[in-house]
Protein backbone atom coordinates (compact mmCIF):
# COMPACT_ATOMS: atom_id res chain seq x y z
CA UNK A 1 0.00 0.00 0.00
CA UNK A 2 2.82 2.41 0.88
CA UNK A 3 4.57 1.58 -2.43
CA UNK A 4 1.29 2.26 -4.26
CA UNK A 5 0.95 5.75 -2.78
CA UNK A 6 4.63 6.46 -3.35
CA UNK A 7 4.28 5.54 -7.06
CA UNK A 8 1.33 7.92 -7.41
CA UNK A 9 3.40 10.76 -5.90
CA UNK A 10 6.32 10.05 -8.26
CA UNK A 11 4.03 9.98 -11.31
CA UNK A 12 2.49 13.32 -10.37
CA UNK A 13 5.91 14.91 -9.80
CA UNK A 14 7.30 13.55 -13.06
CA UNK A 15 4.34 14.89 -14.98
CA UNK A 16 4.80 18.21 -13.16
CA UNK A 17 1.22 18.23 -11.95
CA UNK A 18 2.06 20.26 -8.85
CA UNK A 19 -1.53 21.26 -8.00
CA UNK A 20 -2.78 17.71 -8.12
CA UNK A 21 0.29 16.59 -6.17
CA UNK A 22 -0.44 19.05 -3.38
CA UNK A 23 -4.09 17.99 -3.24
CA UNK A 24 -3.03 14.38 -3.15
CA UNK A 25 -0.43 15.06 -0.45
CA UNK A 26 -3.03 16.84 1.69
CA UNK A 27 -5.45 13.98 1.19
CA UNK A 28 -2.77 11.49 2.16
CA UNK A 29 -2.03 13.48 5.31
CA UNK A 30 -5.74 13.52 6.17
CA UNK A 31 -5.91 9.75 5.70
CA UNK A 32 -2.89 9.29 7.96
CA UNK A 33 -4.46 11.53 10.62
CA UNK A 34 -7.75 9.64 10.36
CA UNK A 35 -5.85 6.37 10.71
CA UNK A 36 -4.06 7.65 13.82
CA UNK A 37 -7.35 8.85 15.35
CA UNK A 38 -8.98 5.49 14.66
CA UNK A 39 -6.01 3.70 16.23
CA UNK A 40 -6.21 5.96 19.30
CA UNK A 41 -9.93 5.33 19.61
CA UNK A 42 -9.40 1.58 19.38
CA UNK A 43 -6.65 1.79 21.98
CA UNK A 44 -8.87 3.88 24.28
CA UNK A 45 -11.73 1.44 23.76
CA UNK A 46 -9.51 -1.51 24.66
CA UNK A 47 -8.21 0.28 27.75
CA UNK A 48 -11.74 1.23 28.77
CA UNK A 49 -12.91 -2.36 28.24
CA UNK A 50 -9.98 -3.69 30.28
CA UNK A 51 -10.69 -1.20 33.08
CA UNK A 52 -14.38 -2.14 33.05
CA UNK A 53 -13.45 -5.81 33.36
CA UNK A 54 -11.09 -5.01 36.25
CA UNK A 55 -13.81 -2.97 37.94
CA UNK A 56 -16.39 -5.76 37.58
CA UNK A 57 -13.94 -8.29 39.02
CA UNK A 58 -13.19 -5.95 41.94
CA UNK A 59 -16.89 -5.35 42.58
CA UNK A 60 -17.66 -9.07 42.66
CA UNK A 61 -14.73 -9.75 45.00
CA UNK A 62 -15.81 -6.92 47.30
CA UNK A 63 -19.34 -8.30 47.32
CA UNK A 64 -18.04 -11.67 48.53
CA UNK A 65 -16.13 -10.01 51.37
CA UNK A 66 -18.94 -7.75 52.50
CA UNK A 67 -21.57 -10.48 52.43
CA UNK A 68 -19.27 -12.49 54.69
CA UNK A 69 -18.80 -9.42 56.90
CA UNK A 70 -22.55 -8.97 57.13
CA UNK A 71 -23.08 -12.60 58.15
CA UNK A 72 -20.36 -12.49 60.82
CA UNK A 73 -21.53 -9.18 62.25
CA UNK A 74 -25.10 -10.49 62.48
CA UNK A 75 -23.78 -13.40 64.55
CA UNK A 76 -21.94 -11.00 66.87
CA UNK A 77 -25.05 -8.85 67.29
CA UNK A 78 -27.20 -11.86 68.18
CA UNK A 79 -24.61 -13.07 70.71
CA UNK A 80 -24.25 -9.63 72.26
CA UNK A 81 -28.02 -9.31 72.66
CA UNK A 82 -28.09 -12.70 74.39
CA UNK A 83 -25.34 -11.56 76.78
CA UNK A 84 -27.25 -8.37 77.55
CA UNK A 85 -30.40 -10.40 78.22
CA UNK A 86 -28.42 -12.57 80.64
CA UNK A 87 -27.19 -9.42 82.43
CA UNK A 88 -30.74 -8.11 82.75
CA UNK A 89 -31.87 -11.48 84.11
CA UNK A 90 -29.17 -11.31 86.79
CA UNK A 91 -29.93 -7.65 87.53
CA UNK A 92 -33.57 -8.56 88.17
CA UNK A 93 -32.43 -10.98 90.89
CA UNK A 94 -30.17 -8.73 92.99
CA UNK A 95 -30.86 -7.71 96.59
CA UNK A 96 -34.44 -8.18 97.77
CA UNK A 97 -35.54 -9.17 94.24
CA UNK A 98 -33.77 -12.53 94.53
CA UNK A 99 -35.96 -15.63 94.12
CA UNK A 100 -34.88 -18.85 95.83
CA UNK A 101 -35.40 -20.89 92.66
CA UNK A 102 -33.01 -18.72 90.64
CA UNK A 103 -29.56 -20.17 89.87
CA UNK A 104 -26.92 -17.71 88.66
CA UNK A 105 -24.28 -20.32 87.75
CA UNK A 106 -25.53 -21.02 84.21
CA UNK A 107 -25.45 -17.29 83.38
CA UNK A 108 -22.37 -16.16 85.28
CA UNK A 109 -19.59 -17.13 82.86
CA UNK A 110 -21.71 -16.02 79.91
CA UNK A 111 -21.89 -12.47 81.28
CA UNK A 112 -18.29 -11.12 81.15
CA UNK A 113 -17.62 -11.84 77.48
CA UNK A 114 -17.48 -9.83 74.25
CA UNK A 115 -18.10 -11.44 70.84
CA UNK A 116 -15.06 -10.66 68.71
CA UNK A 117 -15.79 -9.52 65.17
CA UNK A 118 -13.22 -10.46 62.50
CA UNK A 119 -14.24 -9.15 59.06
CA UNK A 120 -12.60 -9.93 55.72
CA UNK A 121 -11.08 -6.86 54.08
CA UNK A 122 -8.51 -8.43 51.76
CA UNK A 123 -9.91 -7.20 48.44
CA UNK A 124 -10.62 -3.71 49.77
CA UNK A 125 -7.12 -3.43 51.24
CA UNK A 126 -5.59 -4.57 47.93
CA UNK A 127 -7.46 -1.84 46.07
CA UNK A 128 -6.54 0.85 48.59
CA UNK A 129 -2.87 -0.16 48.98
CA UNK A 130 -2.36 -0.34 45.22
CA UNK A 131 -4.12 2.99 44.65
CA UNK A 132 -6.71 1.27 42.45
CA UNK A 133 -9.84 2.23 44.38
CA UNK A 134 -10.39 4.79 41.61
CA UNK A 135 -11.34 2.06 39.12
CA UNK A 136 -14.72 2.02 40.87
CA UNK A 137 -16.69 4.65 38.95
CA UNK A 138 -19.61 5.03 41.36
CA UNK A 139 -18.67 7.98 43.60
CA UNK A 140 -21.13 7.04 46.35
CA UNK A 141 -19.86 3.45 46.49
CA UNK A 142 -16.27 4.65 46.56
CA UNK A 143 -17.11 6.99 49.46
CA UNK A 144 -18.88 4.22 51.41
CA UNK A 145 -15.94 1.86 50.89
CA UNK A 146 -13.56 4.55 52.14
CA UNK A 147 -15.78 4.95 55.23
CA UNK A 148 -15.67 1.25 56.14
CA UNK A 149 -12.21 0.99 57.71
CA UNK A 150 -12.66 4.07 59.97
CA UNK A 151 -16.05 2.70 61.08
CA UNK A 152 -14.45 -0.68 61.79
CA UNK A 153 -11.66 0.97 63.80
CA UNK A 154 -14.28 2.73 65.96
CA UNK A 155 -16.00 -0.61 66.50
CA UNK A 156 -12.76 -2.37 67.49
CA UNK A 157 -11.93 0.43 69.94
CA UNK A 158 -15.34 -0.03 71.55
CA UNK A 159 -14.76 -3.80 71.70
CA UNK A 160 -11.45 -3.25 73.49
CA UNK A 161 -13.01 -0.83 75.98
CA UNK A 162 -15.85 -3.26 76.71
CA UNK A 163 -13.34 -6.08 77.22
CA UNK A 164 -11.58 -4.04 79.92
CA UNK A 165 -14.81 -3.90 81.93
CA UNK A 166 -15.24 -7.63 81.40
CA UNK A 167 -11.84 -8.11 83.03
CA UNK A 168 -13.01 -6.12 86.07
CA UNK A 169 -16.03 -8.41 86.51
CA UNK A 170 -13.91 -11.53 86.00
CA UNK A 171 -11.47 -10.42 88.70
CA UNK A 172 -14.37 -9.68 91.05
CA UNK A 173 -15.79 -13.19 90.53
CA UNK A 174 -12.34 -14.71 91.06
CA UNK A 175 -12.16 -13.01 94.45
CA UNK A 176 -15.77 -13.47 95.56
CA UNK A 177 -17.27 -16.41 93.67
CA UNK A 178 -16.51 -19.82 92.18
CA UNK A 179 -15.81 -20.36 88.51
CA UNK A 180 -15.86 -24.14 89.08
CA UNK A 181 -19.48 -23.91 90.25
CA UNK A 182 -20.33 -21.93 87.14
CA UNK A 183 -18.42 -24.34 84.87
CA UNK A 184 -20.49 -27.21 86.27
CA UNK A 185 -23.66 -25.61 84.88
CA UNK A 186 -22.07 -24.47 81.60
CA UNK A 187 -23.62 -25.34 78.24
CA UNK A 188 -20.31 -24.70 76.48
CA UNK A 189 -19.04 -27.95 74.94
CA UNK A 190 -15.40 -26.90 75.17
CA UNK A 191 -15.68 -26.21 78.90
CA UNK A 192 -17.58 -29.45 79.50
CA UNK A 193 -14.90 -31.37 77.61
CA UNK A 194 -12.32 -30.21 80.18
CA UNK A 195 -14.20 -32.16 82.89
CA UNK A 196 -13.39 -29.87 85.80
CA UNK A 197 -13.83 -31.33 89.31
CA UNK A 198 -16.25 -29.81 91.80
CA UNK A 199 -15.04 -26.92 93.90
CA UNK A 200 -13.41 -27.82 97.19
CA UNK A 201 -15.03 -24.81 98.86
CA UNK A 202 -18.52 -24.39 100.25
CA UNK A 203 -19.55 -21.36 98.24
CA UNK A 204 -22.76 -20.33 96.52
CA UNK A 205 -22.51 -17.89 93.63
CA UNK A 206 -26.06 -16.71 94.36
CA UNK A 207 -24.53 -14.87 97.32
CA UNK A 208 -23.06 -12.46 94.79
CA UNK A 209 -26.59 -11.19 94.18
CA UNK A 210 -26.61 -9.66 97.66
CA UNK A 211 -23.60 -7.45 97.00
CA UNK A 212 -24.15 -3.90 95.69
CA UNK A 213 -20.71 -3.91 94.00
CA UNK A 214 -21.71 -6.95 91.95
CA UNK A 215 -25.00 -5.28 90.98
CA UNK A 216 -23.09 -2.20 89.82
CA UNK A 217 -20.67 -4.31 87.80
CA UNK A 218 -23.56 -6.06 86.02
CA UNK A 219 -25.21 -2.70 85.33
CA UNK A 220 -21.94 -1.48 83.80
CA UNK A 221 -21.87 -4.59 81.62
CA UNK A 222 -25.23 -3.64 80.15
CA UNK A 223 -24.18 -0.03 79.56
CA UNK A 224 -20.92 -0.84 77.77
CA UNK A 225 -22.33 -3.75 75.80
CA UNK A 226 -25.28 -1.61 74.70
CA UNK A 227 -22.83 1.02 73.43
CA UNK A 228 -20.93 -1.69 71.58
CA UNK A 229 -24.21 -2.93 70.13
CA UNK A 230 -24.93 0.59 68.84
CA UNK A 231 -21.55 0.59 67.06
CA UNK A 232 -22.25 -2.84 65.60
CA UNK A 233 -25.59 -1.69 64.21
CA UNK A 234 -23.96 1.37 62.62
CA UNK A 235 -21.41 -0.90 60.92
CA UNK A 236 -24.11 -3.34 59.84
CA UNK A 237 -26.08 -0.52 58.19
CA UNK A 238 -22.94 0.62 56.35
CA UNK A 239 -22.25 -2.94 55.18
CA UNK A 240 -25.79 -3.25 53.83
CA UNK A 241 -25.50 0.08 52.00
CA UNK A 242 -22.23 -1.10 50.43
CA UNK A 243 -23.73 -4.46 49.40
CA UNK A 244 -26.76 -2.72 47.87
CA UNK A 245 -24.49 -0.43 45.80
CA UNK A 246 -22.25 -3.36 44.80
CA UNK A 247 -25.24 -5.39 43.64
CA UNK A 248 -26.60 -2.39 41.74
CA UNK A 249 -23.28 -2.00 39.91
CA UNK A 250 -22.79 -5.70 39.12
CA UNK A 251 -26.37 -6.23 37.92
CA UNK A 252 -26.27 -3.45 35.34
Amino acid sequence: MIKFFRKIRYDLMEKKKTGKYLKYAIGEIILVVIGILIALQLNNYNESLNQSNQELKALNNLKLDFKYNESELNKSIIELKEINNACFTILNQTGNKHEETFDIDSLLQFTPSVPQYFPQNGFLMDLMNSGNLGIIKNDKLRYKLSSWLPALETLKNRENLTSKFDDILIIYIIKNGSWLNSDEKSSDKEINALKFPKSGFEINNNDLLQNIEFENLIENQIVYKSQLLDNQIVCLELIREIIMLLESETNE
Side-chain angles (χ1 to χ4, degrees):
M1 184 64 73
I2 294 174
K3 290 181 179 179
F4 173 73
F5 286 129
R6 187 180 296 166
K7 185 176 183 303
I8 293 174
R9 286 200 304 271
Y10 286 153
D11 287 345
L12 290 173
M13 288 297 291
E14 286 176 0
K15 294 175 182 178
K16 298 183 179 180
K17 295 180 180 180
T18 307
K20 288 185 178 181
Y21 175 80
L22 289 173
K23 290 179 182 179
Y24 172 80
I26 292 170
E28 189 175 336
I29 291 170
I30 292 172
L31 285 174
V32 171
V33 170
I34 291 172
I36 292 171
L37 290 174
I38 291 172
L40 286 173
Q41 282 187 326
L42 286 172
N43 184 57
N44 289 338
Y45 172 77
N46 288 333
E47 286 184 2
S48 177
L49 183 62
N50 182 52
Q51 191 172 33
S52 294
N53 289 336
Q54 287 182 342
E55 181 190 17
L56 184 60
K57 183 179 179 180
L59 293 172
N60 283 322
N61 287 336
L62 287 168
K63 189 161 61 172
L64 289 174
D65 270 358
F66 277 93
K67 283 192 172 182
Y68 172 85
N69 293 346
E70 180 187 28
S71 174
E72 291 301 299
L73 189 52
N74 270 323
K75 292 176 185 176
S76 291
I77 288 173
I78 291 170
E79 186 177 346
L80 193 58
K81 286 180 177 179
E82 290 174 349
I83 294 170
N84 254 2
N85 288 337
C87 288
F88 271 111
T89 300
I90 293 172
L91 207 57
N92 285 323
Q93 293 290 331
T94 56
N96 58 19
K97 296 176 291 184
H98 176 56
E99 300 171 1
E100 292 299 326
T101 56
F102 178 73
D103 184 4
I104 196 176
D105 285 329
S106 61
L107 298 176
L108 195 59
Q109 62 183 257
F110 187 55
T111 304
S113 59
V114 177
Q116 297 294 308
Y117 176 52
F118 298 105
Q120 288 183 175
N121 295 312
F123 290 118
L124 177 59
M125 294 301 296
D126 284 345
L127 286 175
M128 297 185 75
N129 292 336
S130 62
N132 287 328
L133 191 60
I135 67 173
I136 296 174
K137 300 183 185 73
N138 188 311
D139 292 338
K140 186 176 181 181
L141 174 56
R142 203 163 57 246
Y143 171 76
K144 294 292 183 182
L145 289 169
S146 298
S147 302
W148 168 241
L149 292 180
L152 181 59
E153 184 178 1
T154 300
L155 176 61
K156 299 308 286 186
N157 288 338
R158 177 57 63 178
E159 273 185 14
N160 293 335
L161 183 61
T162 306
S163 293
K164 289 181 181 178
F165 281 88
D166 282 348
D167 292 342
I168 294 172
L169 178 58
I170 289 169
I171 292 170
Y172 177 86
I173 296 170
I174 288 172
K175 291 180 178 179
N176 300 280
S178 170
W179 280 119
L180 283 176
N181 286 357
S182 180
D183 290 338
E184 191 178 349
K185 303 289 180 65
S186 175
S187 58
D188 190 308
K189 292 180 180 179
E190 292 181 0
I191 290 178
N192 290 334
L194 295 172
K195 297 181 179 179
F196 284 119
K198 290 181 178 294
S199 174
F201 296 89
E202 292 294 328
I203 188 169
N204 189 336
N205 284 329
N206 276 7
D207 292 339
L208 296 171
L209 298 167
Q210 301 304 317
N211 193 304
I212 186 62
E213 184 179 356
F214 178 74
E215 182 183 69
N216 288 333
L217 287 172
I218 296 297
E219 188 269 348
N220 281 341
Q221 288 289 309
I222 294 173
V223 170
Y224 282 93
K225 284 182 170 61
S226 294
Q227 291 173 344
L228 174 58
L229 183 59
D230 289 340
N231 282 122
Q232 288 181 332
I233 291 171
V234 168
C235 286
L236 183 62
E237 289 173 353
L238 178 57
I239 288 174
R240 287 174 174 170
E241 289 175 355
I242 289 172
I243 290 174
M244 182 181 67
L245 289 168
L246 287 168
E247 289 181 338
S248 174
E249 290 297 305
T250 53
N251 290 335
E252 287 183 354

